[in-house]
Amino acid sequence: MIRIVLLGPPGSGKGTQASALEAKHGIPHIASGDLLRANVKENTALGQQAKPYMDRGELVPDELILDMMAARLSEPDAQQGYVLDGFPRTVAQAESLEQRLAKLDQGLDAVIYLAVPEDEILRRLSGRRTCPECHAVYHVDTMPPQKEGICDKCGAKLIQRDDEKPEVIRKRLEVYTEQTRPLLEFYRQRGLLEEVDGTIGVENVVREIEKIVAGSRAAVSE
Ligand code: AP5
């Protein structure tokens, strides 16, 4: 059983790496952004409340996120571990996750920070294409689908996300620096933080993360 958090700025590759971990270890990839976008698409009460924040590139209020994540983490597939992508994103969310895990006598195995500079993030997000059905992620230059505009995995038509306009990307980066970056120190203090250079190509990042996962498993079984 492994419980991993992926941290990093928008576009650092959290979704890409979380999908690889899901495929390799059979643990669910739980992405707060995907859950929110599904709620927006289905026009639920949560989706209606969250959409204006997401459109502006701001964080959705903690109380909405905490209820949504508590429900998701209670589902049967999450009892055997998970990889979290986009959650926690504030110190309040990290504290809430820590309390939840403590109550269950559980802990995180690793918090992996994907370090990517801002100019690379802008390039990545402007070329990203996403599958609205199965959430697979592509890039028009570096990771194109086999057939232009079509998801390799499920055949759906790929889209550009609503929050990929340059001004919204800039706002998301600002919000990351102010509200999410402090989590690096939060997890460093707990001895959980591992940093990976997120610019070395998808497969190399996968390999670096696998070394960390292997190390954390070895530490648990010692
Ligand atoms: P969310 O969906 O979580 O977006 P994000 O964190 O901004 O991250 P992204 O999904 O944009 O990027 P990523 O790091 O997953 O990168 P990816 O793998 O796609 O959040 C959206 C919004 O929802 C927020 O703004 C907020 O409003 C709300 N929200 C969500 N969670 C919340 C929370 N907990 N609290 C409050 N609000 C919340 O990769 C990007 C591109 O780069 C792709 O094209 C990919 O192909 C390419 N790529 C990936 N890895 C590499 C590599 N190693 N080399 C080259 N290219 C690469």
Side-chain angles (χ1 to χ4, degrees):
M1 183 183 313
I2 37 174
R3 292 183 208 88
I4 292 177
V5 167
L6 294 181
L7 272 185
S12 54
K14 302 181 298 293
T16 304
Q17 295 300 323
S19 294
L21 282 161
E22 176 176 60
K24 173 139 177 91
H25 297 280
I27 49 173
H29 163 193
I30 301 180
S32 46
D34 288 345
L35 293 173
L36 288 169
R37 281 184 287 278
N39 275 278
V40 170
K41 195 172 165 195
E42 287 158 25
N43 203 22
T44 65
L46 169 60
Q48 288 174 12
Q49 286 173 287
K51 188 172 186 311
Y53 295 96
M54 296 172 76
D55 287 347
R56 291 193 297 265
E58 293 169 11
L59 294 187
V60 175
D62 282 338
E63 56 275 18
L64 297 178
I65 297 291
L66 292 175
D67 286 350
M68 175 182 84
M69 292 305 292
R72 179 63 187 92
L73 293 174
S74 303
E75 286 176 23
D77 66 335
Q79 307 320 304
Q80 299 308 316
Y82 41 74
V83 49
L84 297 180
D85 157 14
F87 176 87
R89 224 172 176 110
T90 61
V91 171
Q93 292 179 17
E95 285 169 345
S96 165
L97 177 64
E98 190 170 64
Q99 284 157 16
R100 175 190 176 88
L101 287 166
K103 270 192 213 145
L104 297 167
D105 206 16
Q106 296 175 345
L108 294 171
D109 297 290
V111 175
I112 300 172
Y113 165 51
L114 298 174
V116 179
E118 200 165 312
D119 53 348
E120 168 72 2
I121 282 170
L122 293 171
R123 190 190 65 75
R124 284 186 188 182
L125 291 184
S126 55
R128 176 168 61 185
R129 298 292 180 272
T130 310
C131 176
E133 299 300 328
C134 74
H135 308 301
V137 175
Y138 301 88
H139 190 280
V140 288
D141 300 323
T142 55
M143 216 193 293
Q146 283 166 10
K147 189 168 170 210
E148 196 184 325
I150 302 293
C151 180
D152 292 345
K153 293 185 183 158
C154 74
K157 197 161 175 253
L158 301 177
I159 56 157
Q160 253 191 308
R161 273 169 38 180
D162 291 342
D163 60 0
E164 279 166 341
K165 298 187 202 91
E167 66 275 17
V168 180
I169 294 174
R170 270 193 291 279
K171 180 68 187 172
R172 285 162 61 202
L173 284 166
E174 244 175 71
V175 166
Y176 168 79
T177 304
E178 283 165 19
Q179 300 190 56
T180 307
R181 234 186 121 75
L183 291 186
L184 300 184
E185 192 48 34
F186 180 94
Y187 285 119
R188 194 174 286 124
Q189 283 173 5
R190 284 154 177 76
L192 285 168
L193 191 73
E194 301 279 357
E195 179 167 337
V196 172
D197 178 353
T199 65
I200 56 177
V202 173
E203 291 310 320
N204 291 325
V205 178
V206 166
R207 271 193 285 279
E208 290 305 308
I209 290 180
E210 282 309 316
K211 284 187 212 161
I212 293 169
V213 171
S216 74
R217 289 187 139 178
V220 167
S221 60
E222 265 168 19

